[in-house]
Amino acid sequence: MLSPDSPTSSLILGGVLWAVLALLIVRAVRKDRREYSRFKRYRSSQSRRRMFRKWLIDSLVMFGGASIVILALVWQYPPRLLAEVRRWPVSAWFSAVVEGSNGLVPGLAIGLAVALVGGTILAVYLARKSVDVPTIGDISALLPRDRRELRYGFALSVNAGVVEELLFRLAMPALIFGVFGNAVLAVVGSVLLFGALHVYQGWAGIVGSIVIGGALMLLYLATGSILAAIVAHALIDLRSLVLIPVLVYRVHTRD
């Protein structure tokens, strides 16, 4: 347990930050790219499921474990980071708009979210007879191809929503803030890191992940609830790894 008021806390957290960054970057550049390149050559569903299972366990251990360790050290920092963000002029302006709208702005936000989800489902449904569905980044090989792979698509989506949001929207920003005391660096740095770790998807995947990560970060900062970001992230991944394979490719009918 590290106190934000202790002069040694930033030094200890700095060592933890550089160790985590080195581990994540080396893993993304070497391990993830190599494994995904090999995975794209797999034709056997059994081999694909074996790799899905490996990725699921690795993600739980790596991202989930790192989140637990970091949050155990920086649990006092997330409220301070949110308080600092709420002092930004744009945050103060937005809060004033929300408070003066008599519930209109939150209602519009909920309506927009429902329309976005419904529109996505409708767009995928209308594209169900298409030969191919455009994706952001090189992720076509990840799409499940039969009923048993579909279960891993669901598990990977939910797992990513939980462990990646805990790490990149809650733990890492708090850790960076604890080291540098700069909320802008904490927010932007964690979003860029999230995007960079999708290097195995190519440049389009990196840019797309930065945009999605930025939107999820804004959702967390606006609501103050990591649960909202977790649910949104899981829904985004479920669209790619469950909804598209089911509605477009009908993989749930394949044994």
Side-chain angles (χ1 to χ4, degrees):
M1 184 185 303
L2 298 176
S3 170
D5 301 319
S6 172
T8 60
S9 293
S10 61
L11 294 176
I12 296 173
L13 294 179
V16 174
L17 173 61
W18 296 120
V20 172
L21 286 176
L23 184 62
L24 290 175
I25 292 173
V26 170
R27 179 182 186 272
V29 172
R30 300 185 64 182
K31 183 174 180 292
D32 289 355
R33 292 179 67 182
R34 184 173 62 248
E35 286 187 351
Y36 190 58
S37 177
R38 185 167 70 247
F39 177 79
K40 289 192 293 185
R41 298 194 296 268
Y42 288 163
R43 295 296 177 264
S44 164
S45 179
Q46 182 178 4
S47 298
R48 288 171 53 83
R49 293 198 309 273
R50 188 182 300 116
M51 186 63 81
F52 281 144
R53 184 163 54 250
K54 181 180 184 301
W55 285 338
L56 183 61
I57 296 172
D58 283 353
S59 177
L60 280 170
V61 173
M62 181 68 183
F63 294 159
S67 300
I68 292 173
V69 172
I70 294 172
L71 289 173
L73 295 173
V74 302
W75 65 272
Q76 297 182 71
Y77 287 89
R80 293 181 176 229
L81 173 60
L82 288 174
E84 182 68 24
V85 169
R86 281 169 171 72
R87 283 195 287 268
W88 293 350
V90 66
S91 298
W93 169 82
F94 182 74
S95 298
V97 170
V98 172
E99 292 174 1
S101 68
N102 295 321
L104 179 60
V105 171
L108 288 175
I110 294 173
L112 180 61
V114 172
L116 181 62
V117 173
T120 299
I121 295 174
L122 178 61
V124 174
Y125 178 76
L126 294 176
R128 67 191 186 280
K129 294 183 179 180
S130 302
V131 176
D132 197 8
V133 176
T135 57
I136 300 177
D138 181 15
I139 66 167
S140 58
L142 290 173
L143 302 185
R145 298 176 181 178
D146 60 42
R147 187 181 304 170
R148 286 180 290 182
E149 289 186 16
L150 192 63
R151 298 169 188 166
Y152 283 102
F154 179 85
L156 287 166
S157 299
V158 174
N159 172 75
V162 175
V163 301
E164 292 184 10
E165 290 308 300
L166 287 177
L167 182 58
F168 296 105
R169 247 58 71 187
L170 188 62
M172 287 301 296
L175 179 58
I176 297 172
F177 183 70
V179 175
F180 299 102
N182 187 312
V184 175
L185 180 62
V187 169
V188 175
S190 58
V191 170
L192 293 178
L193 176 62
F194 176 73
L197 294 184
H198 290 78
V199 64
Y200 68 93
Q201 297 179 8
W203 282 107
I206 294 175
V207 174
S209 297
I210 289 175
V211 172
I212 292 173
L216 292 170
M217 178 62 79
L218 287 176
L219 178 61
Y220 165 60
L221 295 177
T223 62
S225 170
I226 193 62
L227 181 60
I230 288 174
V231 172
H233 190 150
L235 289 174
I236 291 171
D237 284 7
L238 284 169
R239 169 199 173 272
S240 298
L241 299 183
V242 175
L243 192 61
I244 288 177
V246 167
L247 292 181
V248 177
Y249 302 114
R250 300 187 61 80
V251 300
H252 60 292
T253 64
R254 302 175 189 170
D255 293 327

